[in-house]
Amino acid sequence: MTALRIILGDRLSEQISSLDGADPQQDIILMCEVTAEATYVKHHKKKLAFIFSAMRHFAEELQAKGYQVDYIRLDQDAPLHSFTEAIEQIFATHKLDHIITTEPGEYRVLMEQQSWAETFDLPVFIRPDTRFLCNHAEFERWSAGRKSLRMEYFYRDMRKKFAVLMEGDQPVGGQWNFDNENRKSPQPSFDVPDTYHSAPDAVTRDVLHLVETQFADHMGDTSQFHFAVTAAQARAALAQFIEERLPYFGDFQDAMIQGKPWMYHAHIGLYLNVGLLLPLDCITAAEQAYRDQKAPLNAVEGFIRQILGWREFVRGIYWQKMPDYAELNFFEAKRALPAFYWDADTKMNCMHQSVTETAQNAYAHHIQRLMVLGNFALLAGIDPRQVNDWFLSVYADAFEWVELPNVTGMALFADGGLLASKPYASGGTYINKMSNYCKGCSYKVNQKSGPDACPFNYLYWDFLDRNREKLGNNHRVGMMYKVYDRMADDKKQAIYYDSSAFLMGLDAKTNTG
């Protein structure tokens, strides 16, 4: 029996379940670049270039190993719109008995996959994605009966399951996480090692031309493209991180320095999310660095927590709560996304730097995303759907399973506390502590009101005031309401007027383009 085995662009691993049991002599492997996937949001040019180049390289690797790969390119004479159209084209030239694929990373694609049995009148086998370390049934069992779902407890169970950083049944170092040690302020004089660079080969150069030609109006450009596009290159990127940046990652993982976008982070999320790296390999490499005394425990634990804890946890939440999760809007936020999320044209230097670096690199680290870009969207009351579409568009590591819970649940608290126990709202003080952005800003971070005050300062209190009905009983926010209630009336009035004026100006600029 001949199977059509479908490999999606974020499933680029020989360990992917859709290849299990494949017969290279008989089965057909379909890989396809289709317009719907490239344009359902306006993906950053470097994101598109990364995915298409990685796909083409993976197809070549499979062909070199004897597999029959039918690869459909977007730059063919008549590009195809959807996966379904691509399958139709294959059926026109091949006699096939059934379809095998791996579950996707986005709910809308799963809906398309589930329609194929009826469309083609053939059995369709959607296999689980075994690259992840917690399957759907395990997450359901873990979450069953819990009043609240918190990553910390999930993470501890995952540590025990895989015996990671454990001494018997106890965590190495006597505590489960070292987050309190991972918030040191940055020094602009830091000599931060550069991220991994790979020179584009002929395959990648063809893709860069395709992207610049066909997606000219998308964010960013393809100049200085340096991402890994093969598994071997991704492993080299991981090794470089372990050797050069992991020792400092823990202390300074929340730090932001103007002109140094990469900091001490790993920059491997995009490789994990498309399959060029496997999570357990990354975890093992980091733990070995600790065992070999090449990196301190707070750095290694913090890195592992992102993969073994947070990454697996948000995937569990996504598949448990979709499709309703995508529509949640706890604060009923309706404001349109400001234009400066695209063009960086704002006097707020932290926002300008974060958007500019996003446009340049299709990357920003988690504090830029959460405490600058997400925090502003939260405080300003921007529509979660528009914020989600933006985050999904602009980051090379963004697929809906990971992006949506991080934005809706973590950054915007739009799920009302399902993912996080409180909104991650902050005034300018936190940004000033963790960056040098405020020194070059037109606004004054130490000024609380007036035209020169940092907008984060008054927007923070205005956010709390206008959402008191929804947040007043949240025990983690209660102390801040007590602080607000002790403020003099004229100070509260200044917060209201400054916020109203700023947001009206934001709306006027957005509405007039």
Side-chain angles (χ1 to χ4, degrees):
M1 296 179 69
T2 300
L4 177 64
R5 296 174 180 266
I6 300 172
I7 305 291
L8 303 183
D10 58 346
R11 299 292 182 264
L12 309 180
S13 169
E14 288 191 55
Q15 284 72 48
I16 202 69
S17 59
S18 51
L19 286 178
D20 287 349
D23 183 346
Q25 303 304 314
Q26 187 167 354
D27 294 344
I28 304 298
I29 295 173
L30 171 63
M31 298 181 66
C32 49
E33 303 164 9
V34 294
T35 58
E37 295 306 302
T39 59
Y40 72 95
V41 294
K42 296 180 72 170
H43 298 289
H44 194 293
K45 290 177 184 176
K46 281 190 170 74
K47 178 181 183 180
L48 291 173
F50 163 63
I51 294 173
F52 289 159
S53 180
M55 288 175 64
R56 293 184 185 189
H57 281 92
F58 186 65
E60 287 185 351
E61 291 174 5
L62 292 177
Q63 288 169 333
K65 293 184 177 183
Y67 289 100
Q68 300 181 63
V69 180
D70 203 317
Y71 193 98
I72 299 173
R73 293 167 54 132
L74 200 59
D75 50 0
Q76 65 182 25
D77 291 338
L80 301 181
H81 178 70
S82 67
F83 296 130
T84 301
E85 287 183 8
I87 296 172
E88 289 173 348
Q89 182 170 298
I90 298 299
F91 271 92
T93 55
H94 296 84
K95 181 174 176 57
L96 301 163
D97 299 298
H98 57 284
I99 296 172
I100 298 173
T101 189
T102 297
E103 62 183 0
E106 304 195 348
Y107 183 84
R108 61 182 180 81
V109 179
L110 179 62
M111 295 298 98
E112 184 177 0
Q113 288 181 342
Q114 291 178 344
S115 73
W116 292 340
E118 182 176 353
T119 299
F120 300 107
D121 193 25
L122 282 177
V124 175
F125 302 96
I126 304 174
R127 294 176 173 177
D129 189 346
T130 53
R131 295 175 303 163
F132 288 91
L133 304 177
C134 179
N135 64 42
H136 302 320
E138 287 176 309
F139 190 82
E140 287 295 330
R141 288 194 295 271
W142 176 83
S143 61
R146 293 176 183 263
K147 293 182 179 179
S148 60
L149 305 181
R150 295 293 173 255
M151 189 279 290
E152 176 64 25
Y153 302 108
F154 172 82
Y155 167 60
R156 294 180 186 186
D157 287 344
M158 293 293 283
R159 287 263 298 270
K160 295 173 185 176
K161 174 184 175 181
F162 288 94
V164 172
L165 290 177
M166 298 293 293
E167 293 176 340
D169 60 354
Q170 295 300 311
V172 169
Q175 58 192 75
W176 288 102
N177 82 60
F178 294 83
D179 209 28
N180 289 335
E181 299 180 24
N182 295 348
R183 296 168 183 162
K184 293 183 180 178
S185 299
Q187 298 297 324
S189 60
F190 283 166
D191 184 16
V192 180
D194 203 356
T195 189
Y196 174 83
H197 281 70
S198 173
D201 61 7
V203 172
T204 300
R205 290 195 296 272
D206 284 346
V207 168
L208 297 179
H209 176 72
L210 162 70
V211 171
E212 286 290 359
T213 302
Q214 298 202 21
F215 304 96
D217 62 340
H218 286 221
M219 189 186 215
D221 60 50
T222 58
S223 64
Q224 299 180 338
F225 182 87
H226 57 77
F227 294 152
V229 291
T230 67
Q233 291 174 350
R235 288 193 293 270
L238 172 65
Q240 181 176 311
F241 162 69
I242 296 290
E243 180 69 24
E244 298 180 0
R245 298 190 303 281
L246 177 59
Y248 308 99
F249 169 73
D251 289 351
F252 303 110
Q253 66 173 284
D254 288 6
M256 300 172 284
I257 300 177
Q258 188 165 318
K260 297 183 179 181
W262 305 104
M263 292 302 293
Y264 295 104
H265 287 257
H267 325 135
I268 62 168
L270 68 171
Y271 309 139
L272 276 167
N273 291 351
V274 302
L276 299 184
L277 288 176
L278 297 177
L280 206 54
D281 292 343
C282 300
I283 292 166
T284 300
E287 184 173 17
Q288 190 61 49
Y290 168 71
R291 303 291 184 188
D292 293 342
Q293 299 183 343
K294 292 182 177 179
L297 183 56
N298 69 312
V300 171
E301 185 280 318
F303 172 73
I304 288 175
R305 180 160 21 103
Q306 295 300 312
I307 299 176
L308 185 59
W310 193 250
R311 186 173 185 267
E312 298 286 332
F313 180 72
V314 297
R315 177 178 181 261
I317 292 287
Y318 177 83
W319 285 111
Q320 184 181 76
K321 302 301 180 183
M322 284 295 284
D324 294 343
Y325 197 82
E327 305 303 322
L328 298 179
N329 188 354
F330 179 68
F331 294 119
E332 302 176 68
K334 299 177 181 178
R335 181 161 283 106
L337 187 79
F340 58 67
Y341 273 80
W342 298 105
D343 60 23
D345 184 14
T346 171
K347 295 196 301 179
M348 291 178 290
N349 191 44
C350 59
M351 293 292 293
H352 175 79
Q353 293 299 323
S354 297
V355 174
T356 298
E357 292 175 1
T358 294
Q360 291 171 344
N361 304 315
Y363 171 81
H365 71 65
H366 71 287
I367 295 300
Q368 290 171 303
R369 300 190 202 194
L370 176 63
M371 298 309 300
V372 179
L373 299 161
N375 186 25
F376 182 85
L378 171 67
L379 300 182
I382 300 174
D383 182 350
R385 172 57 70 180
Q386 294 188 35
V387 181
N388 273 292
D389 283 352
W390 184 84
F391 273 88
L392 188 58
S393 300
V394 302
Y395 293 117
D397 56 14
F399 295 90
E400 194 179 64
W401 69 265
V402 64
E403 174 276 325
L404 182 63
N406 272 293
V407 172
T408 285
M410 191 73 170
L412 302 181
F413 203 73
D415 64 3
L418 177 67
L419 193 75
S421 58
K422 72 175 182 66
Y424 276 80
S426 168
T429 301
Y430 178 84
I431 297 171
N432 189 38
K433 176 186 176 184
M434 299 312 305
S435 77
N436 66 344
Y437 292 160
C438 299
K439 294 179 181 178
C441 189
S442 299
Y443 296 106
K444 295 179 174 60
V445 69
N446 293 324
Q447 194 163 319
K448 306 303 181 184
S449 61
D452 294 331
C454 171
F456 280 88
N457 289 339
Y458 49 75
L459 288 176
Y460 170 76
W461 293 110
D462 184 67
F463 163 77
L464 290 179
D465 183 40
R466 69 177 183 267
N467 290 296
R468 187 163 196 152
E469 184 176 341
K470 294 179 180 291
L471 292 175
N473 293 325
N474 185 305
H475 70 282
R476 297 196 65 191
V477 184
M479 181 60 68
M480 302 316 297
Y481 279 111
K482 292 179 181 178
V483 173
Y484 178 79
D485 290 341
R486 289 196 295 267
M487 291 181 185
D489 288 344
D490 60 340
K491 188 173 182 179
K492 293 179 183 178
Q493 191 172 53
I495 290 168
Y496 173 77
Y497 283 127
D498 287 341
S499 299
S500 297
F502 179 87
L503 294 173
M504 286 177 64
L506 195 69
D507 292 340
K509 187 174 182 180
T510 299
N511 292 336
T512 59

